[in-house]
mmCIF file of all heavy atoms in Angstrom:
data_model
loop_
_atom_site.group_PDB
_atom_site.id
_atom_site.type_symbol
_atom_site.label_atom_id
_atom_site.label_comp_id
_atom_site.label_asym_id
_atom_site.label_seq_id
_atom_site.Cartn_x
_atom_site.Cartn_y
_atom_site.Cartn_z
ATOM 1 N N TYR Y 285 -22.752 -11.104 -12.105
ATOM 2 C CA TYR Y 285 -23.997 -11.716 -12.145
ATOM 3 C C TYR Y 285 -25.093 -10.760 -12.398
ATOM 4 O O TYR Y 285 -25.221 -9.778 -11.836
ATOM 5 C CB TYR Y 285 -24.220 -12.363 -10.693
ATOM 6 C CG TYR Y 285 -25.547 -13.257 -10.573
ATOM 7 C CD1 TYR Y 285 -25.961 -14.068 -11.503
ATOM 8 C CD2 TYR Y 285 -26.285 -13.229 -9.419
ATOM 9 C CE1 TYR Y 285 -27.001 -14.858 -11.406
ATOM 10 C CE2 TYR Y 285 -27.405 -14.009 -9.238
ATOM 11 C CZ TYR Y 285 -27.783 -14.817 -10.284
ATOM 12 O OH TYR Y 285 -28.910 -15.568 -10.040
ATOM 13 N N ALA Y 286 -25.938 -10.923 -13.346
ATOM 14 C CA ALA Y 286 -26.756 -9.930 -14.019
ATOM 15 C C ALA Y 286 -28.103 -9.658 -13.010
ATOM 16 O O ALA Y 286 -28.662 -8.682 -13.297
ATOM 17 C CB ALA Y 286 -27.205 -10.348 -15.361
ATOM 18 N N GLN Y 287 -28.441 -10.643 -12.161
ATOM 19 C CA GLN Y 287 -29.644 -10.409 -11.420
ATOM 20 C C GLN Y 287 -29.625 -9.088 -10.570
ATOM 21 O O GLN Y 287 -28.624 -8.859 -9.762
ATOM 22 C CB GLN Y 287 -29.913 -11.602 -10.576
ATOM 23 C CG GLN Y 287 -31.193 -11.493 -9.818
ATOM 24 C CD GLN Y 287 -31.899 -12.905 -9.532
ATOM 25 O OE1 GLN Y 287 -32.608 -13.401 -10.358
ATOM 26 N NE2 GLN Y 287 -31.363 -13.504 -8.473
ATOM 27 N N ALA Y 288 -30.613 -8.343 -10.640
ATOM 28 C CA ALA Y 288 -30.691 -7.042 -10.155
ATOM 29 C C ALA Y 288 -30.952 -7.028 -8.522
ATOM 30 O O ALA Y 288 -31.555 -7.810 -8.047
ATOM 31 C CB ALA Y 288 -31.770 -6.144 -10.840
ATOM 32 N N ILE Y 289 -30.410 -6.034 -7.881
ATOM 33 C CA ILE Y 289 -30.638 -5.838 -6.485
ATOM 34 C C ILE Y 289 -32.065 -5.322 -6.193
ATOM 35 O O ILE Y 289 -32.613 -5.706 -5.113
ATOM 36 C CB ILE Y 289 -29.610 -4.774 -5.959
ATOM 37 C CG1 ILE Y 289 -29.731 -4.672 -4.414
ATOM 38 C CG2 ILE Y 289 -29.865 -3.424 -6.512
ATOM 39 C CD1 ILE Y 289 -28.646 -3.833 -3.797
ATOM 40 N N GLY Y 290 -32.694 -4.718 -7.034
ATOM 41 C CA GLY Y 290 -34.034 -4.140 -6.957
ATOM 42 C C GLY Y 290 -34.893 -4.786 -5.923
ATOM 43 O O GLY Y 290 -35.171 -4.212 -4.797
ATOM 44 N N PRO Y 291 -35.506 -5.896 -6.220
ATOM 45 C CA PRO Y 291 -36.535 -6.532 -5.318
ATOM 46 C C PRO Y 291 -35.828 -7.445 -4.240
ATOM 47 O O PRO Y 291 -36.501 -8.153 -3.621
ATOM 48 C CB PRO Y 291 -37.466 -7.230 -6.188
ATOM 49 C CG PRO Y 291 -36.517 -7.695 -7.291
ATOM 50 C CD PRO Y 291 -35.510 -6.556 -7.570
ATOM 51 N N ARG Y 292 -34.528 -7.467 -4.152
ATOM 52 C CA ARG Y 292 -33.760 -8.433 -3.407
ATOM 53 C C ARG Y 292 -32.909 -7.844 -2.288
ATOM 54 O O ARG Y 292 -32.528 -8.603 -1.401
ATOM 55 C CB ARG Y 292 -32.955 -9.245 -4.339
ATOM 56 C CG ARG Y 292 -33.818 -9.940 -5.411
ATOM 57 C CD ARG Y 292 -32.864 -10.709 -6.403
ATOM 58 N NE ARG Y 292 -33.850 -11.343 -7.382
ATOM 59 C CZ ARG Y 292 -34.057 -10.799 -8.498
ATOM 60 N NH1 ARG Y 292 -33.656 -9.559 -8.917
ATOM 61 N NH2 ARG Y 292 -34.962 -11.359 -9.362
ATOM 62 N N GLY Y 293 -32.572 -6.615 -2.393
ATOM 63 C CA GLY Y 293 -31.599 -6.019 -1.397
ATOM 64 C C GLY Y 293 -31.820 -4.501 -1.274
ATOM 65 O O GLY Y 293 -32.231 -3.954 -2.219
ATOM 66 N N LYS Y 294 -31.257 -4.048 -0.148
ATOM 67 C CA LYS Y 294 -31.176 -2.586 0.018
ATOM 68 C C LYS Y 294 -29.956 -2.185 0.768
ATOM 69 O O LYS Y 294 -29.406 -2.988 1.595
ATOM 70 C CB LYS Y 294 -32.430 -2.141 0.794
ATOM 71 C CG LYS Y 294 -33.788 -2.441 0.226
ATOM 72 C CD LYS Y 294 -34.845 -1.876 1.231
ATOM 73 C CE LYS Y 294 -36.267 -2.457 0.745
ATOM 74 N NZ LYS Y 294 -36.734 -1.733 -0.529
ATOM 75 N N VAL Y 295 -29.559 -0.926 0.490
ATOM 76 C CA VAL Y 295 -28.526 -0.293 1.446
ATOM 77 C C VAL Y 295 -29.257 0.239 2.670
ATOM 78 O O VAL Y 295 -30.233 1.066 2.463
ATOM 79 C CB VAL Y 295 -27.608 0.695 0.741
ATOM 80 C CG1 VAL Y 295 -26.868 1.526 1.711
ATOM 81 C CG2 VAL Y 295 -26.748 0.074 -0.304
ATOM 82 N N VAL Y 296 -28.736 -0.076 3.863
ATOM 83 C CA VAL Y 296 -29.454 0.410 5.009
ATOM 84 C C VAL Y 296 -28.666 1.508 5.821
ATOM 85 O O VAL Y 296 -29.259 2.211 6.676
ATOM 86 C CB VAL Y 296 -29.679 -0.851 6.040
ATOM 87 C CG1 VAL Y 296 -30.635 -1.776 5.402
ATOM 88 C CG2 VAL Y 296 -28.408 -1.462 6.390
ATOM 89 N N ASP Y 297 -27.369 1.643 5.393
ATOM 90 C CA ASP Y 297 -26.616 2.796 6.060
ATOM 91 C C ASP Y 297 -25.250 2.918 5.233
ATOM 92 O O ASP Y 297 -24.863 1.992 4.530
ATOM 93 C CB ASP Y 297 -26.424 2.562 7.462
ATOM 94 C CG ASP Y 297 -26.294 3.938 8.284
ATOM 95 O OD1 ASP Y 297 -26.206 5.036 7.625
ATOM 96 O OD2 ASP Y 297 -26.439 3.868 9.500
ATOM 97 N N TRP Y 298 -24.552 3.957 5.496
ATOM 98 C CA TRP Y 298 -23.151 4.119 4.994
ATOM 99 C C TRP Y 298 -22.344 5.113 5.890
ATOM 100 O O TRP Y 298 -22.965 5.727 6.748
ATOM 101 C CB TRP Y 298 -23.265 4.682 3.510
ATOM 102 C CG TRP Y 298 -23.556 6.073 3.285
ATOM 103 C CD1 TRP Y 298 -22.694 7.198 3.150
ATOM 104 C CD2 TRP Y 298 -24.775 6.820 3.346
ATOM 105 N NE1 TRP Y 298 -23.314 8.324 2.986
ATOM 106 C CE2 TRP Y 298 -24.548 8.109 3.167
ATOM 107 C CE3 TRP Y 298 -26.123 6.286 3.551
ATOM 108 C CZ2 TRP Y 298 -25.695 9.094 3.084
ATOM 109 C CZ3 TRP Y 298 -27.253 7.279 3.496
ATOM 110 C CH2 TRP Y 298 -26.945 8.702 3.287
ATOM 111 N N ARG Y 299 -21.077 5.080 5.636
ATOM 112 C CA ARG Y 299 -20.139 5.720 6.529
ATOM 113 C C ARG Y 299 -20.257 5.173 7.978
ATOM 114 O O ARG Y 299 -20.347 6.004 8.964
ATOM 115 C CB ARG Y 299 -20.140 7.288 6.549
ATOM 116 C CG ARG Y 299 -19.917 7.865 4.999
ATOM 117 C CD ARG Y 299 -19.656 9.359 5.115
ATOM 118 N NE ARG Y 299 -19.405 9.833 3.732
ATOM 119 C CZ ARG Y 299 -18.317 9.722 3.037
ATOM 120 N NH1 ARG Y 299 -17.337 9.204 3.681
ATOM 121 N NH2 ARG Y 299 -18.245 10.214 1.817
ATOM 122 N N VAL Y 300 -20.438 3.890 8.070
ATOM 123 C CA VAL Y 300 -20.545 3.285 9.319
ATOM 124 C C VAL Y 300 -19.411 2.203 9.417
ATOM 125 O O VAL Y 300 -18.963 1.612 8.299
ATOM 126 C CB VAL Y 300 -21.879 2.701 9.617
ATOM 127 C CG1 VAL Y 300 -22.880 3.767 9.780
ATOM 128 C CG2 VAL Y 300 -22.302 1.655 8.502
#
Side-chain angles (χ1 to χ4, degrees):
Y285 186 39
Q287 186 152 265
I289 188 174
R292 302 174 180 90
K294 301 178 189 290
V295 165
V296 298
D297 212 345
W298 78 98
R299 295 196 186 280
V300 293

